[in-house]
């Protein structure tokens, strides 16, 4: 706000004289006070941002008042010595200093920031200023970005990287403390700072009681008891029960009067006010990009009005061109309905969310890349298979090691769930090989959603969903592409689960009704895959499993701890987007249930899958070996040989994984000289113990957890955390709209089963195959909601920080760490160039495929918006 109001303020100063002499605060005239104190002074520069930087409604009346209230005695700072202690062994305190002058000659780095001068009285025996207290004596909070001290005797420039909201001092039990950007293991912390370090961590842990308020800085754990209100159709509580789950951030909201096991939910109007520590909330730029507001509007305003609209004008897509019209002309709406729909939106939000050009059409979407070059290529078998390697869910395909495929479901509960595919069903496509030969040559692969879905399928098909559990077997061809051989669609036995599955096989066809049946079979596979992708690959395996590590890090690793400095950029916005997701996305009747086939069993199913989650297997090399798509080979890059050489996600991902691990290893080696240093680090041990035993409490007894007894344990664990937050999330998130924005390519719902011969649906399939296809997948309403949602989720914000970058260049004062990070940034740039080179190699057919859509999801850099590329440091949308 101050950058915008600079001219107003300067005009006021011209009429009132020198700023320091004209502004009177609670402490009296600043110039007089500085003179009376005497002694040597050292200058400081404070960068901060006001809380109402985006509040333009009261801008003209409040800009000068808001500016002047920061001056005078309202904001005080007090340096703390890291080398000289007082009688209680805490660092010696300097005299209080106050914000004095708005430095207009130094432009802020970002809009809304302001730079102030502060003068500290300096005593010769003070030593190194290792921390400072700050007190906010005003009525509103501000974001303290940094303090930089100049010409500190014996130390030169000393920088404090703060990036934290400071509320009025009455909101805190203890004054806020910030540490210089030095890095210390707990045992190496200067004695005068040790108690301050320990007390700050104690403050962040809290006492586990009470409802959290926005100014609280407390990180704590809770179960998922906030997904719905209790009652007949309540969603189960996840975590600490028969439904294992990672823990989420505790809000302490009151329990429901109907059932005290459930936490009360906020209304949609209050959705953006759900508690997370304020420093974990979206920054103002991200909010101004409407990523958060758009989701809220989609849930609270757009969705109900769309329901009313579809009810008023019942309709379906009859042909694929109807879906293309969403990108070419928008969705037609009667004028009166349109005005109701858009009532109350501000112009920027209106333009961003609705992208309207007239009073008759809205929700005009940009054309998804999958149909940008060719409207029909998505229908080919080659593209269907390619997206298992280079699509938005490239983490599921595995090598077939036993034929026919065998189920791991308990036969006492589910009967015979083994596949009924026979060798004669697929031998026509094996290029002259027998099944045994194809298995031995490692050329058979499978996309298998059968076991994950079958235990829930009877319940899911009791909703409006009608779908199957699917298996797809594919052959690796000589040219490196995959060819689907057979799709098996399975249903629970009508007489009961114990009687096994009822399965039917479908085969590729190129003409007649059999071609249409094959297209439908592929659609059922993609419905399975899209639902599993959004719920498991995306939500559970990135968002949900990371939150416990975010919480544990802040509770047990001090801001001066090297591992805190390493990991915290990879946590930005994660707690907030997860809290917001519980409010509008993964909650009962939320957007995910409304737009995906699992319906009200969505989160219960994710709990079922979490039972098999293994932290160690999130490492990309371990995952690839487990799925049988790679084997260990010391002579190959990264020590692995891919069995599908042209596997874009794996090829690019291994390069990213490798440079992350190298960076982590180089960084950790600066602070830990041997394994004993790992074992003796009390903060590190507390962090890892709590992440396992509280954050992932339902998995705490698993033998696979790293023991955190060696440097190798630390490097591998931190690499996994960074990989999940950055590259893995990017791979499964930012391609959602490019691939799924055209719903026929990635339907998320099926509404009817495969038509039986002789039925009216079968006749429709014969005569109007596109209409029959579109009647089977997402309805018009589900399409509009789903496409709106994934378009928001696929966007980059303008303040995104990408892999190899830092929000602050002064995140540490350790030159060796800065040099190592600079080298990491160079490696990221080199990997990006190599990815682009591979995308230009026409011999690598899986890189672009029939749709001519190069695989760019693991290109590290991006601009803002809908780009289909870019690896942000953190899970921030």
């Amino acid at each position: 706000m101050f950058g915008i109001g600079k001219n107003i303020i300067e005009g006021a100063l011209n009429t009132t004289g020198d700023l320091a002499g004209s502004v009177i605060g609670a402490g009296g005239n600043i110039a007089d006070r500085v003179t009376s104190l005497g002694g040597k002074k050292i200058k400081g520069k404070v960068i901060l941002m006001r809380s109402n930087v985006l509040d333009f409604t009261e801008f003209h009346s409040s800009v000068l008042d808001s500016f002047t209230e920061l001056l005078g005695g309202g904001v005080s700072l007090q340096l703390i010595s890291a080398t000289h202690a007082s009688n209680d062994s805490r660092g010696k305190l300097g005299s209080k200093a106050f914000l004095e002058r708005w430095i207009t000659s130094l432009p802020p780095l970002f809009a809304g920031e302001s730079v102030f001068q502060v003068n500290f009285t300096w005593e010769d025996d003070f030593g190194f200023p290792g921390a400072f207290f700050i007190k906010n004596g005003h009525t509103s909070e501000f974001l303290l970005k940094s303090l930089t001290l100049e010409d500190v005797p014996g130390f030169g420039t000393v920088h404090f990287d703060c990036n934290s909201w400071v509320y009025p001092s009455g909101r805190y039990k203890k004054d806020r403390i910030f540490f210089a950007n030095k890095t210390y293991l707990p045992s190496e912390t200067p004695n005068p700072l040790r108690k301050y370090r320990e007390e700050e961590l104690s403050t962040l842990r809290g006492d586990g009681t009470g409802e959290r308020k926005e100014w609280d800085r407390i990180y704590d754990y809770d179960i998922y008891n906030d997904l719905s209100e209790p009652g007949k159709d309540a969603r189960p509580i996840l975590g600490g029960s028969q439904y294992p789950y990672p823990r989420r951030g505790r809000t302490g909201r009151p329990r429901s009067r109907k059932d005290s096991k459930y936490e009360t939910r906020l209304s949609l109007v209050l959705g953006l006010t759900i508690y997370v520590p304020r420093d974990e909330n979206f920054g103002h730029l991200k909010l101004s990009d409407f990523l958060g507001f758009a989701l809220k509007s989609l849930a609270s305003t757009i969705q109900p009005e769309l329901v009313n609209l579809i009810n008023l004008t019942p309709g379906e897509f009859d042909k694929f061109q109807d879906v293309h019209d969403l990108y070419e002309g928008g969705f037609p709406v009667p004028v009166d309905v349109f005005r109701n729909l858009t009532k109350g939106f501000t112009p920027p939000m209106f333009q961003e969310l609705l992208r309207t050009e007239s009073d008759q059409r809205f929700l005009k979407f940009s054309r998804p890349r999958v149909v940008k070059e060719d409207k029909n290529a998505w229908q080919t078998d080659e593209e269907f298979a390619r997206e298992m390697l280079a699509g938005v869910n490239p983490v599921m395909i595995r090598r077939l090691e036993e034929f026919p495929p065998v189920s791991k479901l308990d036969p006492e509960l589910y009967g015979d769930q083994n596949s009924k595919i026979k060798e004669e069903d697929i031998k026509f496509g094996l290029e002259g090989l027998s099944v045994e030969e194809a298995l031995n040559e490692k050329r058979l692969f499978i996309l298998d959603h059968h076991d994950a879905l079958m235990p829930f399928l009877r319940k899911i098909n009791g909703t409006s969903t009608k779908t199957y559990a699917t298996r797809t077997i594919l052959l690796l061809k000589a040219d490196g592409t995959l060819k689907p051989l057979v799709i098996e669609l399975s249903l629970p036995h009508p007489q009961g689960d114990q009687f096994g599955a009822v399965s039917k096989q479908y085969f590729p066809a190129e003409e007649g009704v059999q071609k249409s049946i094959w297209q439908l079979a592929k659609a059922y596979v993609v419905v399975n895959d899209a639902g599993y992708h959004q719920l498991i690959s995306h939500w559970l395996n990135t968002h949900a499993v990371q939150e416990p590590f975010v919480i544990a890090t802040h509770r047990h690793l001090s801001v001066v701890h090297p591992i805190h400095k390493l990991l915290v950029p990879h946590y930005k916005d994660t707690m907030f987007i997860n809290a917001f997701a519980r409010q509008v996305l993964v909650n009962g009747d939320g957007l995910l249930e409304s737009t995906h086939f699992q319906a009200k069993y969505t989160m219960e199913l994710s709990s079922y899958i979490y039972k098999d989650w293994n932290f160690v297997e999130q490492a990309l090399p371990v995952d690839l070996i487990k799925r049988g798509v790679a084997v260990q080979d010391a002579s190959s890059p990264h020590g692995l040989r891919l069995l599908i050489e042209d596997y874009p996600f794996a090829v690019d991902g291994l390069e990213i994984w490798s440079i992350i691990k190298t960076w982590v290893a180089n960084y950790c080696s600066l602070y830990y000289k041997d394994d004993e240093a790992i074992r003796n680090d009390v903060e590190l041990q507390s962090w890892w113990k709590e992440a396992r035993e509280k954050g992932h409490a339902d998995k705490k007894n698993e033998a696979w957890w790293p023991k955190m007894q060696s440097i190798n344990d630390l490097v591998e664990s931190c690499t996994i955390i960074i990989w999940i937050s950055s590259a893995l999330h990017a791979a499964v998130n930012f391609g959602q709209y490019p691939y799924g924005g055209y719903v026929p390519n990635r339907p998320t719902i099926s509404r009817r089963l495969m038509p039986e011969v002789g039925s009216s649906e079968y006749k429709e399939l014969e005569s109007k195959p596109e209409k029959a296809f579109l009647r089977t997948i997402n309805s018009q309403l589900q399409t509009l909601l789903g496409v709106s949602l994934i378009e928001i989720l696929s966007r980059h914000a303008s303040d995104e920080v990408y892999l190899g970058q830092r929000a602050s260049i002064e995140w540490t004062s350790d030159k060796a760490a800065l040099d190592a990070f600079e080298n990491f940034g160079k490696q990221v740039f080199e990997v990006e160039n190599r990815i682009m080179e591979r995308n230009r190699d026409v011999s690598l057919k899986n890189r672009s495929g029939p749709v001519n859509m190069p695989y760019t999801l693991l290109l590290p850099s991006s601009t803002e918006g809908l780009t289909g590329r870019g690896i942000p440091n953190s899970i921030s949308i």
Side-chain angles (χ1 to χ4, degrees):
M1 188 176 86
F2 299 125
I4 299 171
K6 179 179 175 182
N7 293 335
I8 299 175
I9 294 172
E10 287 183 336
L13 296 181
N14 287 337
T15 62
T16 57
D18 178 75
L19 177 62
S22 64
V23 178
I24 306 297
N29 186 291
I30 294 173
D32 291 343
R33 185 167 69 251
V34 170
T35 302
S36 65
L37 287 172
K40 187 174 181 179
K41 306 291 180 186
I42 59 170
K43 288 183 178 180
K45 181 179 67 178
V46 173
I47 300 179
L48 57 79
M49 181 183 292
R50 291 285 308 195
S51 62
N52 57 348
V53 69
L54 284 182
D55 184 3
F56 297 107
T57 56
E58 300 178 0
F59 173 73
H60 293 294
S61 62
S62 66
V63 62
L64 188 57
D65 292 340
S66 296
F67 160 65
T68 57
E69 77 163 13
L70 285 168
L71 303 170
V75 178
S76 67
L77 298 91
Q78 199 169 11
L79 296 178
I80 303 171
S81 174
T83 48
H84 293 86
S86 58
N87 292 335
D88 64 352
S89 76
R90 288 176 168 82
K92 176 181 177 180
L93 299 181
S95 301
K96 287 186 178 180
F98 302 85
L99 298 188
E100 297 183 14
R101 186 164 65 87
W102 186 35
I103 307 176
T104 58
S105 61
L106 291 176
L109 293 174
F110 299 100
E113 290 183 354
S114 297
V115 186
F116 291 87
Q117 182 174 309
V118 59
N119 286 300
F120 293 92
T121 301
W122 186 257
E123 299 176 19
D124 289 337
D125 64 348
F126 192 79
F128 180 72
F132 72 91
F133 285 126
I134 187 167
K135 242 181 163 174
N136 177 3
H138 293 295
T139 57
S140 60
E141 72 275 16
F142 55 81
L143 177 65
L144 181 64
K145 301 295 288 283
S146 64
L147 166 66
T148 304
L149 304 179
E150 302 168 2
D151 300 321
V152 178
F155 301 100
T157 299
V158 178
H159 183 78
F160 299 79
D161 219 30
C162 305
N163 295 304
S164 181
W165 286 93
V166 178
Y167 277 76
S169 58
R171 299 296 191 189
Y172 300 124
K173 294 179 180 178
K174 294 184 177 181
D175 290 344
R176 291 295 311 276
I177 188 171
F178 292 92
F179 295 89
N181 64 345
K182 293 282 187 181
T183 305
Y184 307 107
L185 292 176
S187 61
E188 298 169 352
T189 308
N191 284 329
L193 295 182
R194 288 196 177 191
K195 286 187 178 178
Y196 292 122
R197 177 173 181 159
E198 293 165 2
E199 289 169 355
E200 173 71 353
L201 285 173
S202 178
T203 296
L204 293 171
R205 288 193 289 268
D207 62 7
T209 65
E211 182 176 1
R212 300 274 66 87
K213 304 300 182 184
E214 66 171 276
W215 51 84
D216 288 335
R217 303 170 53 240
I218 294 172
Y219 295 79
D220 206 351
Y221 306 93
D222 211 337
I223 56 178
Y224 278 65
N225 60 352
D226 62 341
L227 297 176
S228 72
E229 296 289 352
K232 182 180 178 181
D233 207 27
R235 304 302 183 262
I237 294 171
L238 307 183
S241 64
Q242 63 176 312
Y243 302 105
Y245 221 65
R247 299 305 190 256
R248 48 104 174 174
R250 180 182 180 276
T251 70
R253 289 199 305 271
R255 296 301 180 97
S256 170
R257 293 180 179 178
K258 294 180 181 178
D259 185 340
S260 61
K261 293 191 293 292
Y262 284 81
E263 186 174 275
T264 54
R265 286 182 53 76
L266 296 175
S267 68
L268 277 174
V269 176
L270 298 174
L272 283 172
T273 65
I274 188 168
Y275 173 79
V276 294
R278 180 65 187 272
D279 294 345
E280 305 301 321
N281 211 322
F282 273 4
H284 77 288
L285 288 176
K286 181 161 283 188
L287 283 178
S288 70
D289 288 333
F290 299 107
L291 292 176
F293 285 126
L295 282 170
K296 177 180 174 182
S297 300
L298 186 61
S300 62
T301 305
I302 298 288
Q303 182 176 4
E305 287 295 344
L306 275 176
V307 172
N308 293 337
L309 169 61
I310 299 298
N311 288 340
L312 285 172
T313 57
E316 293 271 5
F317 297 122
D318 289 332
K319 51 188 182 301
F320 294 145
Q321 184 57 45
D322 294 344
V323 185
H324 285 287
D325 286 344
L326 291 175
Y327 322 112
E328 295 167 359
F331 188 73
V333 182
V335 174
D336 57 336
V337 176
F338 177 83
R339 287 172 180 162
N340 286 335
L341 184 67
T342 59
K343 184 168 56 180
F345 282 151
T346 61
M349 187 185 295
F350 178 88
Q351 183 178 7
E352 171 73 17
L353 192 57
L354 304 184
R355 294 172 299 282
T356 182
E357 295 174 354
S358 71
D359 274 358
Q360 282 75 43
R361 306 188 81 84
F362 83 116
L363 288 172
K364 180 181 177 182
F365 299 95
S366 59
R367 185 177 294 282
R369 288 173 62 198
V370 76
V371 288
K372 206 163 191 176
E373 297 289 325
D374 187 323
K375 287 184 178 182
N376 301 311
W378 65 272
Q379 298 181 66
T380 63
D381 288 356
E382 184 180 339
E383 181 61 24
F384 168 71
R386 185 190 79 93
E387 290 185 22
M388 300 177 196
L389 305 173
V392 73
N393 193 30
V395 295
M396 290 299 297
I397 190 169
R398 62 180 176 84
R399 181 163 57 87
L400 186 63
E401 300 182 45
E402 186 175 0
F403 185 89
V406 175
S407 172
K408 294 181 180 179
L409 293 175
D410 186 347
E412 291 190 8
L413 294 176
Y414 298 104
D416 181 8
Q417 295 288 335
N418 293 335
S419 173
K420 301 303 181 288
I421 301 171
K422 301 180 180 65
E423 179 161 1
E424 54 262 33
D425 292 334
I426 63 172
K427 64 181 181 181
F428 69 92
L430 292 179
E431 299 182 349
L433 299 174
S434 67
V435 167
E436 184 178 2
E437 290 170 334
L439 288 172
N440 290 337
E441 292 183 16
K442 299 179 173 56
R443 291 181 61 186
L444 287 179
F445 294 84
I446 185 170
L447 183 68
D448 191 347
H449 289 294
H450 183 279
D451 283 5
L453 299 180
M454 184 56 75
F456 287 82
L457 196 53
R458 192 182 303 275
K459 292 192 291 187
I460 289 172
N461 281 348
T463 69
S464 59
T465 293
K466 299 295 179 284
T467 196
Y468 301 91
T470 68
R471 293 183 176 107
T472 306
I473 295 180
L474 308 100
L475 176 74
L476 178 63
K477 296 167 59 180
D479 65 359
T481 63
L482 290 171
K483 177 174 69 174
L485 302 174
V486 61
I487 291 171
E488 184 172 65
L489 304 181
S490 300
L491 290 170
H493 198 286
Q495 295 179 8
D497 290 348
Q498 68 273 25
F499 293 99
V502 178
S503 303
K504 190 172 180 180
Q505 295 74 41
Y506 297 86
F507 307 98
E510 297 182 359
E511 58 185 26
V513 69
Q514 292 305 314
K515 177 184 178 181
S516 301
I517 289 173
W518 175 242
Q519 286 297 128
L520 273 182
K522 290 192 292 183
Y524 291 118
V525 172
V526 176
V527 167
N528 277 192
D529 195 64
Y532 192 98
H533 157 261
Q534 191 66 274
L535 180 63
I536 308 302
S537 303
H538 182 205
W539 165 256
L540 175 64
N541 287 348
T542 64
H543 285 259
V545 300
Q546 284 295 79
E547 189 161 357
F549 295 109
V550 179
I551 297 170
T553 298
H554 286 285
R555 285 169 58 88
H556 290 286
L557 296 180
S558 166
V559 293
V560 297
H561 195 288
I563 303 305
H564 183 284
K565 291 180 184 290
L566 172 70
L567 294 179
V568 79
H570 303 286
Y571 297 154
K572 180 177 178 285
D573 296 336
T574 300
M575 284 190 73
F576 178 76
I577 196 63
N578 284 5
F580 194 57
R582 297 196 308 273
Q583 187 67 18
V584 302
L585 288 176
V586 301
N587 59 299
D589 297 321
L591 290 170
L592 224 60
E593 288 191 1
S594 302
T595 57
H596 288 76
F597 78 89
Q598 299 97 324
K600 66 181 182 180
Y601 300 103
T602 294
M603 291 297 278
E604 184 181 342
L605 176 56
S606 74
S607 168
Y608 174 74
I609 301 298
Y610 175 66
K611 291 178 182 179
D612 292 326
W613 181 81
N614 180 324
F615 175 77
V616 175
E617 291 175 354
Q618 307 313 300
L620 180 60
V622 177
D623 169 60
L624 295 172
I625 290 171
K626 179 191 176 186
R627 290 192 283 123
V629 295
V631 293
Q632 291 182 329
D633 182 352
S635 65
S636 297
H638 322 296
L640 291 183
R641 179 170 58 84
L642 291 172
L643 300 180
I644 305 174
E645 292 182 10
D646 183 13
Y647 186 170
F649 163 75
V651 173
D652 298 355
L654 283 171
E655 289 213 47
I656 298 292
W657 167 271
S658 179
I659 63 171
I660 291 173
K661 188 168 184 177
T662 299
W663 148 240
V664 171
N666 290 341
Y667 178 83
C668 290
S669 70
L670 300 175
Y671 303 99
Y672 297 98
K673 301 309 178 186
D674 52 37
D675 293 344
E676 186 177 2
I678 299 289
R679 294 190 288 271
N680 292 338
D681 186 335
V682 293
E683 287 185 8
L684 188 74
Q685 294 302 323
S686 296
W687 165 66
W688 193 243
K689 176 180 172 66
E690 189 175 275
R692 297 189 332 265
E693 296 184 359
K694 288 190 176 181
H696 285 279
D698 301 323
K699 309 285 286 182
K700 65 182 179 182
N701 295 322
E702 300 286 358
W704 42 253
W705 282 107
K707 306 303 181 186
M708 204 53 69
Q709 297 295 297
S710 67
I711 293 175
N712 183 65
D713 286 346
L714 176 63
V715 169
E716 188 74 7
S717 298
C718 290
T719 303
I720 290 172
I721 290 171
I722 294 172
W723 163 258
I724 293 172
S725 292
S726 57
L728 180 60
H729 180 259
V732 299
N733 183 71
F734 294 105
Q736 291 190 76
Y737 189 80
Y739 287 99
Y742 183 69
V743 170
N745 184 55
R746 280 195 72 77
T748 59
I749 288 173
S750 56
R751 296 178 286 154
R752 63 188 192 186
L753 298 175
M754 187 71 81
E756 297 289 340
V757 175
S759 66
S760 58
E761 290 85 358
Y762 192 89
K763 293 175 182 176
E764 181 182 60
L765 190 64
E766 288 181 304
S767 60
K768 298 179 179 178
E770 289 188 10
K771 182 177 180 180
F773 185 96
L774 292 166
R775 290 292 192 276
T776 301
I777 64 167
N778 303 46
S779 69
Q780 208 172 67
L781 170 64
Q782 291 161 341
T783 295
L784 292 171
L785 280 176
V787 172
S788 299
L789 173 62
I790 63 173
E791 192 198 25
I792 295 166
L793 297 180
S794 300
R795 286 179 172 271
H796 290 295
S798 58
D799 65 345
E800 205 70 84
V801 182
Y802 297 93
L803 194 67
Q805 303 173 348
R806 287 266 180 162
S808 169
I809 60 174
E810 296 180 278
W811 59 276
T812 181
S813 61
D814 289 358
K815 185 179 185 304
L818 292 172
D819 290 345
F821 187 72
E822 182 181 5
N823 186 57
F824 174 54
K826 291 177 180 176
Q827 289 182 315
V828 170
F829 179 75
E830 291 166 1
V831 167
E832 180 159 310
N833 285 336
R834 289 196 292 271
I835 292 174
M836 291 191 289
E837 286 177 12
R838 285 193 288 271
N839 281 343
R840 289 190 289 266
D841 186 343
V842 294
S843 69
L844 299 175
K845 296 187 176 182
N846 295 326
R847 300 296 306 190
S848 297
V851 294
N852 194 20
M853 180 180 174
Y855 185 71
T856 57
L857 293 176
L858 289 178
L859 282 172
S861 71
S862 179
T863 55
E864 69 176 288
L866 200 62
T867 64
R869 61 179 287 171
I871 304 177
N873 274 328
S874 62
I875 301 166
S876 58
I877 188 62

